[in-house]
Amino acid sequence: MEREEVVAQIVMDYRDVNVRGVERELSVPERLNVRKAVAITGPRRAGKTYYLLQRFSEVRKAGKAAVFFPLDDDRIYPPTLEDLSALVKVFYELFPEADEKYLFLDEVQEVQNWELFVKRVVERDGFRVYLAGSSSRLLSGEIASALRGRTLTFELFPFSFREFLRAKGFFPGKYLSTKDEGRIKALLKDYLMFGGFPEAVLLDDEFLKRKTLSEYVNVMLYRDIIERHGVKNLRAVRLFLKLLMTSFAKEFSVNRVARYMKGMGVNVSRNTLYTYLEYFEDAYVVFIVKKFSYNLKEVEKSIPKVYIVDNGLVTTYSPRSGESLGRLMENAVFLELRRREKELYYFKDEREKEVDFVVTEKGEVSELIQVSYSLSDPNTFKREVSALVSASDKLNCDNLTIINWSREDTIEAEGKEIRLVPLWKFLLGVVRRDSAFVSPEVH
C-alpha cells in the first residue's frame, strides 16, 4: 500500500469516532481571532489524547471539515514531514470546498521538524491546528521556542474533583440531601488519597490503583527526566524525587537537601539539584510556590514550597503521606487554584506566621487562603486565624478564607471577616451569594 493510502486509511479510521467518557473542563476557545496553533500540554496520562479526540468529535458533529491523525500509529511509524503533507492532500480530497479547516495532530513530536509544517498550514493555508504530545518531548517551553509566538498553550491536568465525581457516575445538583453530602465527602477522601489520573480513577481495585500510579512515577522519572536529559547519577535523582514527594506542601530547601544527601553518601552538587528541580517542573511532576514579597529579589531568593501534580503519586510513592490529610488537602487546593490559573505565593512573616496561599491579580494581593483539616482544636484555630489576620494587615487584603474539612461559617476576628469553607464546596466551585450557596455552571 502506498504511503498516502496508509495516511488516508488512518484518517478514515478516526473520521466518525464516537468519543465517550468524562467531559473535560479545559476551556479552549473554538474560534481564535489570530492565526495560532493550539497546543495541549500537561503531565503524562492526564488525558491529552482523549481531549483532542473529544474536541475533534465535537467539530465533526457540527458538520465541519476536520481530520484527526495520531503520529505514533504503527502503520506509518516513524512519521515524516512527507506524511504530514500527504495528510493535507487527503484532507482536501475529503473536503474540497471547506471554509473552516481543522487538523488535530496527536503525538506530533514524533515528526522531526514538525513545527515547520504547523507554521506553514496555519499561516499560509489557514488551518486551525490542535496539537498534543508526550510531556517528555512536547513541553510548553519547547513549543514556545519552536513556534515562536505562533501557538496558544493550554494545560490539562488530571481530573478535578468535579470531573472525578462525574467519572464515578455522581452528578450533584444545586440542592443536596444529607445522603448526597455524605457520599461527596466519602468520594473526596478517595480523591485525596488516589488523585485524579483518569485511568486510576476508573479502577476499583486499590492494589491496581497503586500499581498503575507507581508505574506513572517510574515512567515520568525514567523517560521525562533520566532519558530525556541524559542524567547519569541515577541514585541521586531517585533520592531527590523521593525527597520531593515526601516534602509536598512544605518548604523545600535545596541547600539543606544537598547536605542531607551528602550525609547519606550521595555525592551531588547544589547546582545539579537545582537543575533536577527544573527538570521535574518542566515534566509537570512538581510545582514550586515562592514566598510573597513586594521585593522581587526576595521572592526569587526565597525557599519555595513544593506541590505535586496529583495526590495519587504522593500516596503511592510515600505510603505514610495518608497520615497527613491536612497536607493532602493543601495539595488538592493548590492544584485547583492552578486549574483556575491563579498566580500563587505563600507568606511567612518575621514571627514565622504562615499563610498557605497568597492569590494575586495584576501584582495586587486579592485573597489569602489557609488550609486546615480540622478547626476543632482551639490552638489550631487560633494559629490559623492569627496568621490570616497578621498577613491581612501586612498585605492590605481583607478577603480571607480558611478551607477545612466540614465547617462552614463566617467569623469575625480583630474586626475582620473570615470565611470558613468546606473543602468539597471549594473544589466544586461553590460560591456564596446572599448567604445561599450556588454552584456555578461548569463548561
Side-chain angles (χ1 to χ4, degrees), residues 359-370:
V359 183
T360 66
E361 293 180 9
K362 298 178 181 178
E364 298 295 325
V365 177
S366 61
E367 186 174 10
L368 302 175
I369 299 174
Q370 290 283 59

Side-chain angles (χ1 to χ4, degrees), residues 160-162 165 170 172-178 180-189 191-192 329 332-333 336 340 402-408 420-431 437-439:
S160 68
F161 187 51
R162 295 174 298 276
L165 290 181
F170 186 45
K174 180 176 178 180
Y175 301 105
L176 300 176
S177 66
T178 303
D180 286 339
E181 184 175 330
R183 186 181 177 194
I184 287 176
K185 289 180 179 178
L187 287 169
L188 179 55
K189 287 187 177 179
Y191 180 71
L192 289 177
M329 287 174 59
V333 168
E336 180 60 25
R340 297 177 188 179
I402 300 178
I403 298 172
N404 66 103
W405 182 253
S406 60
R407 186 173 171 184
E408 182 181 323
L420 309 183
V421 179
L423 177 64
W424 68 270
K425 288 194 171 184
F426 170 79
L427 294 178
L428 290 182
V430 174
V431 295
F437 282 90
V438 180
S439 181

Side-chain angles (χ1 to χ4, degrees), residues 393-410:
D393 289 334
K394 290 180 171 63
L395 303 181
N396 193 29
C397 176
D398 292 329
N399 187 11
L400 312 177
T401 303
I402 300 178
I403 298 172
N404 66 103
W405 182 253
S406 60
R407 186 173 171 184
E408 182 181 323
D409 201 354
T410 299

Side-chain angles (χ1 to χ4, degrees), residues 51-64:
Y51 178 80
L52 220 60
L53 280 168
Q54 190 179 58
R55 290 304 301 266
F56 167 69
S57 181
E58 291 170 357
V59 169
R60 288 292 299 133
K61 287 177 182 177
K64 297 177 181 178

